């Protein structure tokens, strides 16, 4: 018999959250293997360890809401509606990728599901998200936009200008800071003397909420309130989700020198999927067998996606000049 | 020391403005920082503070509110107690501080980005510099640019040098042509190429009349075709039109016309003419036209068939001694038929020259009545209008007229094969009063033979 | 025909478009009730209010990139930088987001954002308020660059710019803001990529940009008295560039002078020169010359400012020098 959880979600909803986190995890693990096998060029920044945030926030979004993200955007893309096939194909540089092979890991686009882009430039998402929100309001809709960024962005001018403008103008945007304590190899504690991102909100006049980013239900609850605020015209919210990436900044980079193995292991033990799985079992929301079934199903999807991507054609070089301008 | 209160610059590019209202009166004490007056600038009215303390003294000739004044114009003074205002003393007022721009003598700014020109390498004299444009032009005009002197700043040969050389070359060519000074002047003025004219004159000296003829021919050719009369409106008939009408009606009503047509294979004739063109042309001789050749061969044919060279006169048929063939010429004024006399006695060359001269005269409306009389047979050629066979009207008092159509490539049977041959339609209208169908047909056959086998002329 | 100033004409164009299309909004410092520092939006706030005439804090990167986001989400923002010198604060995002998003998204996201500001040296505005910088934008694939001179061009081009789905730099030299000229009552648009031959001639081709067109026209009249017939071409849009009109003119005259207030290195003149040499080599009777502003920041003191800028006297002399070649 299922107990009611703190977030008052149904069993189906909880399992959906679990499944989504697993899709991200297994997909990223595949990409790690593919990267090492030489199937991916350029950079690949994996979301492993942070799955709860993308999952918990995007669970509240509609297809016509917007998401803007950063170089570490696979999780947001998958949560917003980009299929594993399209994501993997994009990183393999295929024409069937969500950006037609033009963008790779850091420049994912699928406007059809509201993914207005991930960017290789840190902090741009803050301003672009505020801009999309401006349009949603101008067009008199109740659509919202979410800007995902990490601790590395909060000391950039775009953070200051974007959050200020969005708050001054009351825009329907949610700013989600995924504080994973390191910007590449620079610890957040060295980049600024104020360890709390959420507390900065006060300076701009919008609510700042600190959340355990590895607790998908906590993220879900906080994000739900922020999305509600935005949709009802109450303006933006700054969510600081404390989390940790358990892999190096980017695939192929060494993980040594700036953090200890112990620290990594400690955070792995507090990983979002592990914790949620334990909770689902402890609260008797699901059985091991049900969870195993979800596991197997997700594995199969990712395997199929990988094969699809491998068999997809490369983009035609003759098209490379297309779309520099809207009309030639 | 009196402090000058001036019209301030209130906007970036403001040059003029106006005083709106004084907030203090003449003689009143003003504290630094108090509003002294309002002024209107580019956009709006602004309050202007006093920059110093003092007693406000407004001169009697201070600009009135609302009058447009330059930025910097002195409006008033702030003086210390017991200090006279500058306009009250005998001494001339201190010069107004103006913000007029000083006259600027600007040193020529360097055309930045160009390489230091002094460092150009010396070019060998044998390889003068030449602009691409000049080279292209030289090739087009057939000039050897390497022999030219360049007028470019660095000695480069440029377009103007090539054009000058070409002009001088033209002048030289013209100088070789024998031409009277009057004719040369006329030709230059009319833009007539003397070299071309000289070629036509076959080495003879070009005289004034020659140039005049060319000018006249040009004008006649350039004359637009006579406008078609407006629909529904009666137009008076010209003299020539009346004449033509008369003659046509007379012919139609008097003669018993019948037209025979045949098709001649003109391939050999065409080949002959091409060879004549290739040979005679470079020699400066007049090249016979198809008409000229047909005139000649018709003349030969008439010699063999004198009945077609006859005339019906008061119930009697007279076979005429001379064979004088007229050729119809279409002019702006109408149809004219100049006559070449004694065709059999003249060589083709002579016929060609005479025909050309007559055609020019006709176009220049200078044909004399003499030129058009005495004809015994007429040839009319509508080939240029893509006509094949037709029914020409007899030119009284003659008894027959030959119509020539266009020379056109058609499939024909030649040595049992179907091959393209140059064919031409021949149409003979004859007066049945004078000659019967048989003789007429035989004549036409001879004409056809002579068209198809020009070598027969040699033995005719 | 009625005559308007450049500012009035551009504003009329903006007003007409805003009336038709409710997704157009203007963002910038002072564009609201104040009507814009250069009167770009006078009267519009009263019609459309703060949502569409949005005053901003001084945060050019912020509001420019915000408008980039707004443009790709379905609106048509007009970013009014006042001075282009301020706008280049947003350069990073302009290159990486504004210029690239259309291409990166394979054309599924459009970028209909108008980026306008004043350019050029005038009245000792000095180093930080006198820049031209348009080659920076000519260089980056994805931008359109428009530099009108006459009121007629201003209105026709701003309408085309607003309707374009590309990001457009609409740059207004302060020297031409007071230009007055005929502007039809009926609606018209000027397509990009059409140069204007503002003075016909046979001896030399002068391509002039922005305020330099004013000078070049004066010079062409002066030169006519000296027996020199100059053809003056105003490209009007630098991207796309109407090189064909310039080539036709060079074919006629054989000599080309490009007058541009902006710096020479890698400038508009360098680009035009390269294209002309490539396609009209055999038409050239002389080297192609460029007359540019000096490669220095804009000076303050009047004689210094005057010394770094092309003026009718130096332009005329450059033409005479070119004819000597």
């Amino acid at each position: 018999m299922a107990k009611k959880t703190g977030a008052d979600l149904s069993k189906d909803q909880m399992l959906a959250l679990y499944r989504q986190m697993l899709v991200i995890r297994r997909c990223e693990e595949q990409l790690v293997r593919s990267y090492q096998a030489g199937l991916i060029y350029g950079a690949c920044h994996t979301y492993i360890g942070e799955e709860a945030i993308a999952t918990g926030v995007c669970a509240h979004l509609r297809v016509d809401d917007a998401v803007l993200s950063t170089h570490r955007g696979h999780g947001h893309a998958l949560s917003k509606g980009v299929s594993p096939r399209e994501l993997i194909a994009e990183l393999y540089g295929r024409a069937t990728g969500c950006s037609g092979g033009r963008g790779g890991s850091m420049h994912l686009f699928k406007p059809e599901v509201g993914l207005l882009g991930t960017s290789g430039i840190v902090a741009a998402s803050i301003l672009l998200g505020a801009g999309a929100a401006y349009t949603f309001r101008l067009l008199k809709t109740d659509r919202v936009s979410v800007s995902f960024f990490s601790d590395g962005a909060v000391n950039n001018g775009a953070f200051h200008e974007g959050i200020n403008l969005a708050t001054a103008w009351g825009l329907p945007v949610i700013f989600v800071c995924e504080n994973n304590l390191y910007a590449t190899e620079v610890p957040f504690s060295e980049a600024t003397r104020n360890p709390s991102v959420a507390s900065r909100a006060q300076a701009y006049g919008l609510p700042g909420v600190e959340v355990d980013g590895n607790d998908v239900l906590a993220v879900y609850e906080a994000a739900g309130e922020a999305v509600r605020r935005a949709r009802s015209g109450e303006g933006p919210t700054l969510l600081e989700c404390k989390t940790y990436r358990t892999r190096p900044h980017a695939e192929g980079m060494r993980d040594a020198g700036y953090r200890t193995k112990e620290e990594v292991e400690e955070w792995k033990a507090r990983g979002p999927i592990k914790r949620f799985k334990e909770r689902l079992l402890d609260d008797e929301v699901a059985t091991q067998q049900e969870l195993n079934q979800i596991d197997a199903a997700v594995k199969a999807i990712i395997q199929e996606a990988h094969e699809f991507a491998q068999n997809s054609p490369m983009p035609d070089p003759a098209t490379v000049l297309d779309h520099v301008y809207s009309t030639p | 020391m009196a402090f000058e209160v001036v019209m301030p610059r209130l906007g970036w590019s403001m040059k003029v403005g106006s005083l709106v209202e004084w907030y203090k009166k003449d003689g009143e004490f003003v504290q630094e920082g108090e509003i002294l007056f309002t002024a209107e600038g580019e956009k709006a009215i602004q309050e202007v503070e006093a920059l110093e303390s003092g007693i406000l003294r407004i001169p009697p000739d201070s600009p009135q509110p609302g009058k447009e004044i330059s930025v910097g114009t002195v409006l008033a003074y702030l003086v210390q107690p017991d200090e006279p205002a500058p306009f009250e003393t005998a001494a001339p007022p201190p010069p107004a501080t103006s913000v007029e721009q000083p006259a600027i003598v600007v040193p020529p700014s360097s055309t930045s980005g160009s390489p230091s020109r002094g460092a150009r390498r010396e070019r060998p004299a044998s390889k003068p510099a030449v602009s691409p444009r000049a080279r292209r032009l030289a090739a087009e005009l057939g000039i050897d640019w390497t022999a030219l002197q360049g007028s470019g700043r660095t000695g480069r040969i440029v377009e103007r040098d090539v054009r000058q050389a070409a002009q001088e070359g033209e002048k030289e060519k013209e100088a070789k042509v024998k031409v009277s000074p009057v004719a040369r002047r006329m030709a230059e003025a009319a833009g007539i190429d003397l070299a071309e004219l000289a070629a036509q004159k076959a080495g003879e000296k070009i005289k004034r009349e020659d140039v005049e003829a060319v000018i006249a021919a040009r004008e006649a050719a350039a004359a637009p075709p006579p406008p078609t009369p407006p629909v529904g409106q009666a137009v008076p008939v010209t003299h020539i039109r009346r004449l033509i009408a008369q003659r046509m009606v007379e012919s139609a009503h008097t003669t018993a016309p019948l037209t025979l047509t045949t098709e001649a294979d003109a391939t050999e004739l065409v080949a002959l003419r091409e060879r004549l063109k290739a040979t005679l042309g470079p020699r400066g001789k007049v090249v016979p036209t198809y008409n000229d050749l047909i005139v000649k061969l018709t003349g030969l044919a008439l010699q063999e068939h004198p009945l077609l060279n006859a005339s019906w006169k008061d119930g009697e048929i007279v076979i005429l001694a001379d064979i004088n063939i007229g050729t119809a010429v279409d002019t702006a004024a109408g149809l004219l038929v100049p006559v070449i006399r004694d065709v059999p006695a003249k060589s083709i060359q002579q016929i060609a020259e005479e025909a050309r001269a007559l055609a020019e005269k006709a176009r220049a409306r200078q044909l004399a009545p003499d030129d058009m009389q005495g004809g015994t047979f007429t040839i009319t050629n509508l080939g240029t209008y893509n006509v094949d066979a037709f029914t020409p009207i007899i030119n009284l008092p003659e008894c027959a007229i030959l119509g020539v159509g266009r020379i056109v490539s058609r499939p024909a049977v030649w040595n049992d094969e179907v091959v393209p041959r140059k064919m031409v339609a021949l149409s003979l209208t004859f007066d049945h009063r004078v000659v019967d169908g048989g003789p007429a047909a035989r004549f036409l056959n001879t004409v056809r033979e002579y068209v198809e086998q020009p070598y027969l002329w040699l033995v005719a | 025909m009625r005559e308007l100033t450049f500012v009035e004409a551009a504003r009329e164009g903006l007003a007409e478009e805003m009336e038709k299309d409710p997704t157009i909004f203007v963002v910038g410092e002072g564009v609201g009730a104040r009507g814009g520092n250069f009167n770009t939006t006078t009267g519009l706030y009263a019609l459309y209010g703060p949502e569409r005439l949005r005053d901003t804090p001084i945060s050019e990167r912020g509001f420019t990139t915000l408008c980039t986001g707004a443009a790709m989400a379905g609106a048509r923002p007009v970013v009014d930088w006042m001075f282009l010198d301020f706008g280049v604060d947003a350069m990073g995002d302009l290159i990486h987001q504004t210029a690239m998003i259309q291409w990166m998204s394979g054309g599924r996201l459009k970028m209909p954002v108008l980026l306008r500001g004043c350019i050029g040296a005038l009245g000792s505005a000095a180093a930080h308020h006198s820049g031209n910088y348009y080659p920076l934008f000519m260089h980056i694939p994805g931008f359109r660059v428009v530099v009108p001179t006459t009121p007629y061009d201003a209105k026709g081009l701003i309408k085309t710019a607003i309707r374009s789905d590309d990001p457009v730099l609409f740059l207004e030299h302060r020297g031409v803001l007071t230009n007055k000229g005929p502007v039809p009552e009926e609606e018209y648009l000027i397509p990009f990529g059409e140069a204007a031959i503002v003075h016909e001639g046979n001896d030399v081709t002068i391509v002039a940009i922005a305020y330099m067109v004013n000078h070049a026209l004066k010079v062409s009249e002066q030169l006519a008295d000296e027996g020199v017939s100059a053809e003056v071409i105003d490209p009007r849009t630098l991207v796309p560039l109407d090189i064909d009109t310039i080539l036709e003119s060079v074919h006629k005259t054989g000599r080309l002078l490009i007058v541009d207030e902006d710096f020479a290195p890698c400038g508009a003149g360098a680009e035009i020169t390269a294209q002309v040499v490539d396609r009209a080599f055999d038409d050239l009777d002389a080297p192609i010359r460029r007359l540019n502003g000096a490669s220095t920041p804009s000076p303050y003191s009047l004689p210094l400012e005057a010394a770094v800028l092309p003026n009718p006297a130096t332009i005329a002399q450059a033409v005479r020098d070119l004819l000597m070649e």
Side-chain angles (χ1 to χ4, degrees):
Chain A
M1 190 183 58
K3 273 195 198 168
K4 284 274 190 202
T5 67
D8 279 332
L9 290 170
S10 69
K11 171 178 174 177
D12 281 342
Q13 285 173 311
M14 304 259 264
L15 290 183
L17 290 177
Y18 177 74
R19 190 177 184 284
Q20 182 60 43
M21 288 201 287
L22 214 47
V23 165
I24 298 173
R25 174 66 60 95
R26 296 293 174 240
C27 191
E28 296 290 75
E29 285 170 349
Q30 173 61 56
L31 291 173
V32 168
R33 285 194 294 279
S34 298
Y35 188 91
Q36 290 173 1
L39 290 170
I40 296 176
Y41 339 110
C44 180
H45 308 78
T46 62
Y47 200 65
I48 293 176
E50 307 186 14
E51 297 87 349
I53 305 171
T55 302
V57 172
C58 293
H60 297 284
L61 299 183
R62 306 190 306 232
V63 144
D64 62 353
D65 292 322
V67 159
L68 283 301
S69 174
T70 69
H71 51 279
R72 196 179 305 283
H74 302 167
H76 311 125
L78 290 167
S79 300
K80 191 64 179 64
V82 175
S83 68
R85 276 184 163 198
E86 290 171 301
L87 177 66
I88 298 177
E90 181 61 32
L91 268 73
Y92 292 6
R94 307 299 162 116
T96 49
C98 59
S99 297
R102 289 175 161 214
S105 165
M106 292 193 284
H107 314 94
L108 306 170
F109 287 85
K110 191 163 180 179
E112 296 84 354
V113 298
L115 180 65
L116 296 193
T118 69
S119 168
I121 302 292
V122 163
S125 61
I126 296 174
L127 290 168
L128 295 173
Y134 195 103
T135 294
F136 294 157
R137 190 174 65 192
L138 182 74
L139 299 179
K140 302 196 192 332
T141 69
D142 68 342
R143 294 154 74 182
V144 304
S145 79
V146 179
S147 296
F148 288 102
F149 51 96
S150 176
D151 49 285
V154 307
N155 299 309
N156 184 281
F159 178 88
H160 172 70
E161 295 191 32
I163 294 194
N164 181 62
L165 286 172
T167 309
W169 297 345
L171 300 180
V173 56
I174 298 99
F175 296 113
V176 180
C177 174
E178 300 170 324
N179 187 348
N180 60 19
L181 303 183
Y182 294 94
T184 316
E185 297 186 0
V186 178
F188 189 58
S189 55
E190 282 181 26
T192 179
R193 292 295 169 224
N194 180 357
S196 164
V197 174
S199 70
R200 297 182 179 209
Q202 201 181 40
Y204 301 99
L206 81 168
V209 180
E210 189 180 300
V211 183
D212 178 354
N214 282 13
D215 178 348
V216 69
L217 293 181
V219 174
Y220 183 89
E221 193 173 328
E225 173 57 16
V227 170
R228 184 206 64 74
R229 270 176 49 81
R231 272 203 220 290
S232 52
E234 288 172 38
T237 309
L238 173 62
L239 291 185
E240 180 190 4
C241 301
K242 302 273 200 205
T243 184
Y244 197 85
R245 57 162 169 78
T246 51
R247 290 200 59 77
H249 167 75
E251 291 310 304
M253 285 177 70
R254 276 194 300 197
D255 214 1
Y258 65 98
R259 60 184 188 179
T260 63
K261 277 212 178 79
E262 289 77 32
E263 187 184 274
V264 176
E265 290 309 312
E266 208 190 295
W267 277 92
K268 269 191 185 160
R270 295 195 262 145
I273 297 174
K274 184 164 179 292
R275 278 170 64 184
F276 194 52
K277 185 173 180 178
E278 280 162 13
R279 180 160 180 176
L280 288 172
L281 292 170
D282 287 350
D283 289 355
E284 292 171 17
V285 176
T287 64
Q288 182 66 61
Q289 193 191 21
E290 283 170 319
L291 296 183
N292 288 347
Q293 274 173 346
I294 294 174
D295 237 340
V298 169
K299 266 204 176 94
I301 287 171
I302 299 305
Q303 177 61 27
E304 194 279 331
H306 162 73
E307 281 158 18
F308 167 82
Q310 281 224 290
N311 293 329
S312 287
M314 284 296 190
D316 179 3
T319 63
V320 77
L321 295 180
D322 297 346
H323 309 297
V324 174
Y325 301 102
S326 62
T327 49
Chain B
M1 177 67 182
F3 175 82
E4 289 177 350
V5 175
V6 301
M7 181 70 201
R9 192 159 77 112
L10 299 171
W12 257 17
S13 39
M14 177 180 161
K15 293 205 162 52
V16 295
S18 61
L19 168 68
V20 177
E21 193 188 346
W22 285 109
Y23 277 31
K24 300 279 184 185
K25 289 196 269 298
D26 180 57
E28 206 178 325
F29 180 79
V30 177
Q31 184 68 37
E32 179 189 330
E34 283 186 289
I35 307 295
L36 191 48
F37 62 97
T38 47
E40 186 162 12
E42 295 180 306
K43 293 181 205 174
I45 297 173
Q46 286 193 34
E47 294 173 331
V48 184
E49 291 176 358
L51 298 174
E52 289 223 354
S53 301
I55 298 171
L56 181 65
R57 300 304 318 278
I58 306 175
D61 59 353
S62 171
Q64 289 302 306
K67 181 165 182 292
E68 189 179 88
I69 48 182
S70 299
V71 162
T73 306
V74 175
L75 301 172
Y77 301 93
L78 288 168
V79 300
Q80 296 313 306
D82 300 330
E83 191 188 351
F87 54 88
E88 284 170 333
T89 62
T97 52
S98 85
V99 294
E100 273 178 45
Q101 326 287 30
I104 298 156
V105 173
V106 178
S109 51
S110 56
T111 55
S112 32
S114 22
S116 58
R117 290 176 225 165
R120 186 163 283 159
R121 275 176 289 137
E122 271 299 315
R123 297 188 70 94
S126 55
K127 274 200 107 183
V130 57
S131 83
R133 190 182 182 93
R135 267 181 107 124
R136 170 169 65 75
L137 194 60
E140 283 169 18
L141 298 178
I143 302 281
D144 176 13
W145 59 265
T146 59
L148 300 182
Q149 190 78 313
S151 69
R153 183 186 60 89
T154 56
R156 185 186 298 116
I157 297 161
V158 291
E159 178 182 2
R160 53 182 175 251
D161 305 317
V162 173
R163 289 218 183 268
Q164 200 178 334
Q167 261 189 355
E168 282 162 11
E170 277 303 307
K171 286 209 175 82
E172 262 186 52
K173 249 208 290 176
E174 285 188 6
K176 293 207 187 89
V177 166
K178 283 184 280 188
V179 50
S180 77
V182 167
R184 184 187 286 276
R185 276 199 301 278
M186 282 185 77
E188 264 173 30
I192 291 171
D193 186 341
L194 285 172
E196 214 186 289
L197 187 53
Q200 287 177 15
K201 294 284 295 179
E204 272 183 38
K205 184 172 183 180
I206 298 172
K207 294 192 280 278
R208 178 206 190 107
E209 308 91 78
D210 302 311
V211 178
E212 276 173 343
V214 175
I215 294 174
R218 267 206 197 161
E219 277 172 17
T228 43
V231 174
Q233 207 181 315
V235 173
V237 170
T238 64
H239 177 63
I240 281 188
R241 193 83 244 140
R242 198 187 310 275
L243 264 173
I244 292 173
Q246 246 178 315
R247 293 181 65 89
M248 291 299 165
V249 166
E250 196 186 337
S251 177
H253 290 175
T254 324
T255 64
L258 189 71
T259 305
L260 302 175
T261 68
T262 190
E263 211 179 37
D265 184 335
T267 309
E268 292 298 315
L269 189 72
V270 170
L272 170 66
R273 183 163 184 277
E274 292 301 309
R275 279 191 217 108
L276 288 174
K277 196 158 90 171
T279 317
L280 299 178
R283 293 185 193 171
K285 292 192 184 291
V286 177
V287 177
T289 64
Y290 285 110
N291 274 346
D292 300 331
L293 297 172
I294 290 172
V295 164
K296 180 64 183 173
L297 66 87
T298 304
L300 294 172
L302 284 170
Q303 279 187 316
E304 291 166 41
H305 302 268
L307 205 49
L308 280 291
N309 195 56
S311 187
W312 179 278
K313 224 184 199 144
D314 305 322
E316 287 179 336
I317 296 172
V318 179
I319 293 180
L320 304 161
D322 297 322
I323 295 179
N324 306 328
I325 300 183
T327 311
V329 175
D330 188 21
T331 70
L335 191 64
L336 299 175
V337 189
V339 175
I340 298 178
R341 302 185 123 77
D342 208 3
V343 167
K346 291 185 174 151
S347 73
I348 295 174
Q349 186 79 71
Q350 284 171 303
I351 290 170
E353 285 165 14
E354 213 179 300
R356 177 184 282 237
L358 282 170
E360 269 174 29
K361 263 172 125 179
R363 275 191 279 274
R365 305 184 73 156
Q366 290 185 340
L367 273 181
D370 238 9
D371 295 322
M372 296 190 278
Q373 268 160 12
T376 64
F377 191 91
T378 302
I379 296 178
T380 170
N381 191 326
L382 290 182
T384 45
Y385 304 105
N386 288 330
V387 171
D388 294 311
F390 57 108
T391 54
I393 294 182
I394 294 167
N395 190 10
L396 286 175
E398 298 164 15
C399 72
I401 179 169
L402 178 69
V404 182
R406 61 183 168 155
I407 300 177
V408 63
S409 268
R410 272 206 237 283
V413 178
W414 186 255
N415 293 337
D416 289 329
E417 279 183 4
V418 177
V419 294
R421 301 288 291 180
K422 298 254 192 286
M423 307 301 287
V424 64
L426 301 171
S427 311
L428 178 72
T429 303
F430 64 95
D431 189 345
H432 215 304
R433 299 177 300 168
V434 178
V435 70
D436 288 336
R442 282 197 286 280
F443 165 73
L444 184 60
N445 199 48
T446 303
V447 170
R448 184 190 56 74
E449 241 180 27
Y450 283 165
V451 167
E452 293 185 352
Q453 299 162 86
Y455 54 82
L456 289 175
W457 310 351
L458 291 169
V459 297
Chain C
M1 202 187 285
R2 66 178 181 156
E3 292 214 331
L4 298 182
T5 64
F6 183 102
V7 170
E8 288 165 347
R11 190 169 63 229
E12 194 175 87
L14 172 62
E16 282 175 14
E17 294 304 299
M18 285 189 78
E19 194 189 343
K20 281 200 242 273
D21 186 348
T23 69
I24 300 173
F25 66 101
V26 184
V27 157
E29 293 152 27
V31 301
R34 190 170 151 229
N37 186 59
F38 291 107
N39 297 330
T40 47
T41 55
T42 313
L44 296 177
Y45 184 81
L47 293 173
Y48 303 115
E51 196 83 341
R52 293 181 72 191
L53 278 305
R54 176 67 74 176
D55 277 321
T56 63
I58 299 175
S59 48
E60 276 73 16
R61 182 203 176 172
F63 63 76
T64 302
T65 311
L66 183 147
C67 284
T68 297
M72 64 184 191
R76 303 191 88 88
V78 174
V79 180
D80 191 333
W81 285 325
M82 195 191 309
F83 286 91
L84 177 60
D85 314 72
F86 303 159
V88 294
D89 242 24
M91 206 57 186
D93 289 337
L94 284 168
I95 294 174
H96 291 125
Q97 313 299 339
T98 318
M100 287 192 188
I101 280 175
Q102 276 200 97
W103 184 91
M104 288 196 292
S105 69
R108 292 130 77 204
L109 289 172
K110 301 280 175 229
M111 189 51 64
V113 61
L114 180 68
L115 305 154
R116 69 186 296 190
C118 284
I119 56 172
L122 193 75
S124 289
H128 293 168
H129 290 71
S130 306
N132 288 289
Y133 310 134
Y134 31 81
L136 301 178
F137 301 99
M138 290 172 70
H139 183 68
I140 306 292
F143 287 121
R144 303 294 193 186
V145 181
V146 176
V147 199
T149 313
T150 66
Y152 178 85
D153 292 344
K155 181 173 178 188
L157 286 168
I158 203 173
K159 286 172 73 91
T160 301
I162 290 171
R163 295 186 192 191
S164 168
D165 282 340
D166 295 326
V168 180
L169 278 299
F170 188 84
L171 305 176
E172 311 161 75
H173 196 294
R174 282 185 294 122
V176 309
L177 295 183
T178 48
N179 277 0
K180 223 174 173 178
V183 179
E185 304 262 7
E186 313 77 51
E187 190 183 41
Y188 67 97
L189 283 94
I190 298 175
F192 292 162
E194 281 189 13
I197 301 175
V198 295
H199 188 272
E200 287 192 9
N202 297 306
D203 297 330
V204 61
T205 303
I206 304 175
V207 173
I209 297 171
Y211 185 44
M212 299 296 106
V213 177
N214 281 26
H215 288 335
L217 278 175
K218 281 205 195 77
V219 167
S220 64
E221 278 153 36
Q222 185 190 336
L223 289 173
D225 292 337
E226 294 172 27
V228 171
S229 156
E231 180 143 290
V232 180
I233 297 176
D234 176 359
R236 303 197 291 189
T237 60
L238 293 172
V239 179
L241 178 67
D242 180 4
I243 193 66
D244 286 334
T245 297
I246 298 173
L247 291 172
E248 268 171 43
S249 182
V250 171
H251 181 70
K252 190 168 53 161
T253 67
R255 284 153 203 261
L256 174 61
L257 174 70
I258 305 159
V259 185
D260 180 5
E261 186 183 303
D262 197 19
F263 316 122
C266 305
E271 175 61 25
I272 293 171
T273 298
Q275 291 196 31
V276 172
V277 169
D278 183 11
R279 293 175 56 183
F281 183 70
D282 293 308
D283 283 337
L284 292 170
D285 208 24
I288 299 175
R289 287 276 158 74
R290 297 170 291 161
L291 181 58
N292 290 83
S295 287
T296 74
S298 240
Y300 167 72
S301 176
L302 292 168
L304 293 183
E305 187 185 50
V308 302
L309 298 173
N311 61 60
T314 56
I315 297 171
Q317 191 53 44
V319 172
R320 290 187 205 105
D321 289 344
L322 182 57
L323 291 169
M324 291 283 290
E325 285 290 327

